[in-house]
Amino acid sequence: MDIRDFVKRHRIASAVAAPAALGVAVAVAATFALTSSPGEKRADPALTSSVTECHDMVTISVAGRNDSPQSGTTKMLVDANGNELPAALSDDYQSHWVDPVVNAPNGSVDSNSYSAVYISYPANLDSYENAVDTGVANTEQVMRDISAACPNTKFAIVGYSEGADVARRVAMQIGHQTAGADGKYGIVDPGNVAGVVILADSGRTAGDGPFPGAKDPYSHPDNFGQSYQSGKEIAGGQGALQGNAGDFGSLNGRIASFCSDGDLTCAAPKNISLLQLAINVGRQINADQMQSDGLTPTTGMDVAVVLGKIAGDAFADIAHNPGWWTSKETFLDVLLKVSDPNYKPNQDNPTPVAADSIQAENMAPLAYLPQKVFNEVIGLITTNQNTIPVLLNDPYNLTLGPNGTGHHFDYWRDSNPDNGKPLTSAEYAAAWLTELAKEAQAGQLNPKTLTATSTTTSAPAVLAAAPKTATSGSTTPATGSTTPTVTTTPAAPVTTTPAATTPPTTTVTPDTTTAPVTTTTSPTTTTTVPTTTPLVTTTTPTVTTTPSH
């Protein structure tokens, strides 16, 4: 498929920015956070659950795009004073993809010992950066309120796709906190975070194993003895959002960062600087509207404003660097730096250098123009060696589809028993959370002094305890679509795994116009209230799940 066909197929004009390849790359950037996820869930919004119902362990879950509970349609948590919080119990909100992981401990521990909540956040691409920032703020607020009401509660954090970015940023901030004079932390005590699961980690560093900071980064986190794989296989490339890369401070060794080779959100090749520039632009525009409407006066103005700001910041950055003309930094390097949404202008040189203090060799930039142009050309070539190959491989379909076949959905089907990997990434995460929940119930979970432990728990048995399953979802290509319908069933490991924990047959199309199939489930919510806990209303909501995409 040539570039023009690619652009036409996904309804984003190649004229978004110049050069033309950059316009295509904006389309790529706009798809990185897409997931096939449920649509609106209906429940009685008047009935709520309170954080004052304490548990030994709570998993904080952040799902992907269009997969988030919303106030008014889902029962929401309230704080100790009855104020609504941006979260809902997993009993009241169902996520097709994340449920099998976060609900796995249910049935393996007492019903009042473990709970999972889903964070409410925009979960869209109206402005990717604003959505993720809101997710981070909401996650930290919910964790603070739970910790304040229940100081002995331990936490796990799970994020997928757009939610994986939220989970990474929260984990990094928690892990790099410094206690105040009173010994308290701004979010929660890092010692109370037992584990973090990041599925499709867009901040992943090239070469990182699945368990960054662990004693054995390829096999298991430090507090879980069961091996993820027998070898040292890792995905190639790095996360698409390198501005968010970094270690996890005191949480190192308690992180599971899963990445599938070919999922460009976390395994993007190096030397794709033009695509990286477009990704940064895509994080700041209304990519949802761009994808649905294409280039219109409204979306064009949106892009123009962002590009204008980036250009202005680039020239300002150069103006504050009197040695730029003689340096090896190219204009593309400057654009990449200032286009990062987290860029703070002129951090290195807060004020322009006075003219009388500029060295003579820097006062005549034209003298250095030939060398600078040469450096620009060489830099453009060397930093884009993989841009064309990525575009030719159709990055949208490589990552997302068609019909759920893209590598962004591998985490529920990536077991390889013949090559020493008996469980999928999602199954392994579920087994780990279950073990942590058991230790928390037994009072053995003290992350400050955690050491690798040997577990005799069978992962398939652990997964069998999960009371809820991923809802079967299917979509039909839009009228006139040239993409054939393909049904993909995730591969199961050789060990017998109950069907309840394996994501069901899923049909997904990358087009945004679909004919959804509505699936209705009626989970029964039963809450055991501790004797020291205020009474919490128990309901049996009817939940209607409408898949999107």
Side-chain angles (χ1 to χ4, degrees):
M1 176 189 307
D2 64 29
I3 290 176
R4 286 173 297 181
D5 287 341
F6 173 83
V7 174
K8 181 178 179 181
R9 177 174 176 177
H10 300 294
R11 292 172 291 174
I12 300 178
S14 61
V16 169
L22 182 56
V24 178
V26 172
V28 177
T31 67
F32 274 176
L34 290 175
T35 57
S36 172
S37 54
E40 192 176 25
K41 286 84 176 171
R42 294 286 179 184
D44 185 349
L47 302 177
T48 57
S49 301
S50 173
V51 297
T52 55
E53 181 188 353
C54 296
H55 304 274
D56 297 313
M57 179 169 146
V58 173
T59 293
I60 305 296
S61 318
V62 195
R65 186 189 182 197
N66 297 329
D67 193 2
S68 174
Q70 300 300 324
S71 176
T73 62
T74 309
K75 284 173 55 179
M76 306 299 283
L77 280 176
V78 296
D79 64 16
N81 298 316
N83 300 311
E84 188 175 275
L85 290 172
L89 290 175
S90 64
D91 290 330
D92 302 317
Y93 180 83
Q94 283 71 53
S95 170
H96 173 83
W97 297 105
V98 185
D99 268 0
V101 176
V102 303
N103 288 323
N106 292 330
S108 295
V109 294
D110 293 341
S111 59
N112 64 342
S113 179
Y114 175 80
S115 181
V117 303
Y118 280 100
I119 297 298
S120 173
Y121 75 114
N124 58 34
L125 295 182
D126 288 355
S127 172
Y128 177 86
E129 208 62 26
N130 288 343
V132 172
D133 286 345
T134 300
V136 170
N138 289 354
T139 300
E140 294 176 354
Q141 177 189 355
V142 170
M143 293 183 73
R144 275 193 297 265
D145 278 300
I146 292 176
S147 185
C150 309
N152 294 323
T153 291
K154 308 302 180 185
F155 293 97
I157 304 172
V158 176
Y160 169 54
S161 192
E162 191 170 6
D165 196 358
V166 174
R168 164 175 273 277
R169 297 190 199 191
V170 170
M172 289 178 68
Q173 291 186 26
I174 291 175
H176 287 96
Q177 291 177 111
T178 301
D182 58 357
K184 296 182 178 180
Y185 293 87
I187 308 173
V188 296
D189 186 338
N192 285 334
V193 178
V196 179
V197 176
I198 309 174
L199 297 159
D201 185 358
S202 60
R204 174 177 169 267
T205 299
D208 270 359
F211 309 102
K215 295 175 182 177
D216 187 346
Y218 305 100
S219 181
H220 55 77
D222 288 344
N223 56 353
F224 189 46
Q226 182 172 321
S227 293
Y228 172 67
Q229 60 184 4
S230 60
K232 295 185 176 181
E233 301 235 350
I234 61 172
Q238 60 191 16
L241 306 183
Q242 279 302 286
N244 299 330
D247 68 27
F248 296 89
S250 59
L251 294 187
N252 281 340
R254 287 177 256 162
I255 306 293
S257 169
F258 297 115
C259 179
S260 175
D261 212 9
D263 181 351
L264 295 180
T265 62
C266 58
K270 293 183 177 181
N271 297 322
I272 54 170
S273 61
L274 283 176
L275 287 175
Q276 189 64 58
L277 176 60
I279 291 168
N280 289 347
V281 172
R283 293 162 67 185
Q284 301 173 68
I285 65 172
N286 189 335
D288 280 335
Q289 187 177 14
M290 176 69 75
Q291 186 182 22
S292 63
D293 299 344
L295 189 62
T296 67
T298 300
T299 59
M301 180 62 69
D302 187 21
V303 174
V305 169
V306 173
L307 292 178
K309 178 182 180 298
I310 290 172
D313 285 343
F315 288 120
D317 187 85
I318 292 172
H320 285 73
N321 182 4
W324 184 78
W325 284 96
T326 58
S327 71
K328 293 184 178 181
E329 185 180 47
T330 67
F331 189 63
L332 181 56
D333 292 333
V334 176
L335 288 174
L336 287 170
K337 176 172 62 177
V338 304
S339 63
D340 190 308
N342 298 314
Y343 169 74
K344 299 295 187 293
N346 307 320
Q347 291 185 97
D348 298 330
N349 301 288
T351 57
V353 179
D356 58 0
S357 66
I358 300 177
Q359 297 180 4
E361 62 267 23
N362 294 326
M363 295 180 66
L366 288 178
Y368 302 97
L369 185 58
Q371 183 63 43
K372 201 67 178 176
V373 171
F374 177 78
N375 291 342
E376 294 286 343
V377 173
I378 296 301
L380 182 64
I381 294 173
T382 57
T383 62
N384 282 283
Q385 294 176 15
N386 291 315
T387 296
I388 298 301
V390 168
L391 291 176
L392 292 178
N393 283 328
D394 193 353
Y396 187 103
N397 283 327
L398 179 66
T399 294
L400 295 173
N403 307 317
T405 57
H407 292 291
H408 200 56
F409 309 101
D410 282 347
Y411 308 97
W412 290 266
R413 60 188 180 214
D414 59 355
S415 62
N416 189 353
D418 293 337
N419 199 30
K421 186 180 177 183
L423 302 177
T424 69
S425 297
E427 288 169 342
Y428 185 86
W432 182 32
L433 292 187
T434 300
E435 186 68 17
L436 293 177
K438 288 180 177 179
E439 292 180 9
Q441 177 177 274
Q444 300 172 347
L445 190 58
N446 181 11
K448 292 182 179 179
T449 57
L450 283 173
T451 56
T453 57
S454 175
T455 177
T456 58
T457 304
S458 167
V462 166
L463 295 176
K468 291 187 293 216
T469 65
T471 305
S472 176
S474 64
T475 60
T476 304
T479 303
S481 171
T482 59
T483 305
T485 300
V486 179
T487 301
T488 302
T489 303
V494 168
T495 54
T496 302
T497 303
T501 64
T502 303
T505 301
T506 305
T507 307
V508 183
T509 63
D511 254 327
T512 57
T513 303
T514 59
V517 177
T518 301
T519 304
T520 303
T521 60
S522 298
T524 300
T525 303
T526 304
T527 305
T528 303
V529 182
T531 56
T532 59
T533 302
L535 183 62
V536 178
T537 304
T538 303
T539 66
T540 306
T542 298
V543 181
T544 301
T545 302
T546 304
S548 65
H549 301 292

